[in-house]
Amino acid sequence: MSISYGSFPGTRPRRLRTTPAMRRMVAETRLHPAELILPAFVREGVTEPVPLQSMPGVVQHSRDTLRKAAAEAVAAGLGGIMLFGVPEESKKDAVGTPGTDPDGILQVAIRDVRAEVGDDLVIMSDLCLDEHTDHGHCGVLDAEGRIDNDATLERYAEMARAQADAGVHTVGPSGMMDGQVGVVREALDGAGYQDVSILAYTAKYASAFYGPFREAVGSSLKGDRKTYQQDPANARESLRELELDLAEGADMVMVKPALPYLDILSRIADAVDVPVAAYQISGEYAMVEAAAANGWIDRDRAIMETLTSVRRAGAGMILTYWATEVAQRLNRGE
């Protein structure tokens, strides 16, 4: 019988799926702990961690438990930790003063984590006003209640200097203001912090999946963010944002959310030669946890599948609330 090796039966792709060892050997995409970044919330005025109802397993840390979480991240081999500060409600105001106060909770948390882990973990900080304003928006409002882009940039420059003073390695401007990366770079360089890097939230979409995050940061948001975050219908726009961020000095770029925007992630990863991150956000986390709690999906397999898909699409770094858990599993060879 004549067999053609360009088609069945000579060619059988299933030969490379026969055993776990075979599948492991030919796997095209792998996860590594160093590629994972842990987002962590620290809440002012608490002495015990506060569990988040909408994100089972995630907490608002006290200062002490944040230090422990950072130490665990180092032990697990994580690449970094992204810090979000949750100030006391009474301290919030229209311009987000806690975000630039040297004694604001985020700056305190940066100093705490730097003292705990030094340079063994890349310490990142959210550079945005939404956690710190009484209206919950990412910028300063004008007299008519609209986001004042350029006035907001002045506040971002102050935040960048405050976070760098506290010892951060990387700032993450996430407010989607026009010109934010350039202003932050100029502020850092002008203050002598040329070595502090910028992870630009380049393609950040006005997503429905941010809901649980609002609980996590105690958001006071009134209205929505559709006038400054990207329209989920648009793809080419993300490449324009990418070009601008790189021209302004971004060292790394990010797509947020991850799973609903894998196409955007892939396009950006193909277009650049700088590190690319993706943020697996609160709603993505909550969906998997909720479905698993109801017995509808296999939790552990779903977690690994989602992260692998984000890595496969082109992310070299992934921010995920499962970072430490997954790193520990990878270290055990699971």
Side-chain angles (χ1 to χ4, degrees), residues 221-236:
L221 181 64
K222 301 175 180 66
D224 59 49
R225 296 174 175 147
K226 294 180 180 179
T227 64
Y228 47 104
Q229 293 178 353
Q230 283 184 235
D231 186 340
N234 292 351
R236 289 192 303 272

Side-chain angles (χ1 to χ4, degrees), residues 260-271:
Y261 298 94
L262 293 181
D263 59 323
I264 307 301
L265 174 59
S266 180
R267 290 177 70 167
I268 285 180
D270 287 344

Side-chain angles (χ1 to χ4, degrees), residues 4-331:
S4 171
Y5 286 93
S7 60
F8 179 84
T11 299
R12 295 177 183 265
R14 285 185 55 195
R15 292 183 188 123
L16 301 184
R17 305 171 194 155
T18 52
T19 66
M22 178 65 78
R23 294 190 294 273
R24 183 171 62 247
M25 183 181 74
V26 302
E28 299 174 22
T29 305
R30 304 181 195 279
L31 294 173
H32 188 280
E35 298 165 348
L36 303 178
I37 298 165
L38 177 68
F41 308 102
V42 57
R43 179 171 171 177
E44 188 172 21
V46 300
T47 56
E48 297 292 335
V50 180
L52 298 175
Q53 183 178 2
S54 57
M55 299 176 68
V58 179
V59 301
Q60 292 173 326
H61 284 286
S62 69
R63 290 177 60 187
D64 286 340
T65 62
L66 177 65
R67 285 192 287 263
K68 293 176 183 177
E72 288 177 356
V74 171
L78 294 190
I81 186 169
M82 175 65 80
L83 301 178
F84 297 85
V86 185
E88 293 179 357
E89 196 69 27
S90 62
K91 294 184 179 180
K92 295 180 181 181
D93 59 22
V95 296
T97 296
T100 52
D101 183 349
D103 295 320
I105 185 59
L106 182 53
Q107 285 68 252
V108 169
I110 293 168
R111 290 196 294 270
D112 284 346
V113 173
R114 189 67 187 266
E116 182 70 31
V117 303
D119 293 331
D120 291 339
L121 188 69
V122 178
I123 302 167
M124 305 176 170
S125 54
D126 182 54
L127 201 164
C128 194
L129 290 173
D130 60 323
E131 299 104 300
H132 309 285
T133 55
D134 54 12
H135 48 73
H137 278 286
C138 298
V140 178
L141 304 183
D142 64 17
E144 297 181 14
R146 302 170 302 188
I147 297 294
D148 186 328
N149 189 96
D150 295 4
T152 299
L153 295 181
E154 295 179 15
R155 297 291 293 136
Y156 285 3
E158 294 179 54
M159 290 187 77
R161 290 189 289 265
Q163 293 175 4
D165 285 344
V168 79
H169 294 109
T170 300
V171 295
S174 62
M176 291 300 288
M177 296 296 122
D178 294 340
Q180 63 184 13
V181 172
V183 165
V184 167
R185 183 73 272 158
E186 183 178 1
L188 291 170
D189 290 354
Y193 292 114
Q194 292 88 349
D195 290 340
V196 173
S197 57
I198 298 176
L199 171 58
Y201 284 59
T202 292
K204 183 178 181 181
Y205 283 86
S207 173
F209 291 95
Y210 295 131
F213 181 86
R214 307 276 162 79
E215 178 193 357
V217 296
S219 175
S220 307
L221 181 64
K222 301 175 180 66
D224 59 49
R225 296 174 175 147
K226 294 180 180 179
T227 64
Y228 47 104
Q229 293 178 353
Q230 283 184 235
D231 186 340
N234 292 351
R236 289 192 303 272
E237 183 182 24
S238 65
L239 298 179
R240 186 183 187 197
E241 292 281 3
L242 174 66
E243 182 179 359
L244 291 167
D245 282 353
L246 292 176
E248 292 173 23
D251 300 289
M252 301 171 277
V253 297
M254 186 196 294
V255 175
K256 181 181 181 182
L259 284 178
Y261 298 94
L262 293 181
D263 59 323
I264 307 301
L265 174 59
S266 180
R267 290 177 70 167
I268 285 180
D270 287 344
V272 301
D273 56 5
V274 300
V276 176
Y279 196 147
Q280 186 180 58
I281 66 169
S282 59
E284 299 173 60
Y285 175 95
M287 286 194 302
V288 171
E289 291 289 351
N294 279 282
W296 297 335
I297 60 172
D298 181 319
R299 176 185 181 274
D300 290 352
R301 286 184 61 194
I303 290 171
M304 300 305 285
E305 185 174 343
T306 59
L307 290 172
T308 300
S309 73
V310 176
R311 182 74 181 85
R312 187 186 66 238
M317 303 172 291
I318 306 174
L319 287 81
T320 175
Y321 299 98
W322 290 303
T324 302
E325 174 189 343
V326 168
Q328 291 169 342
R329 288 172 57 185
L330 292 172
N331 291 333

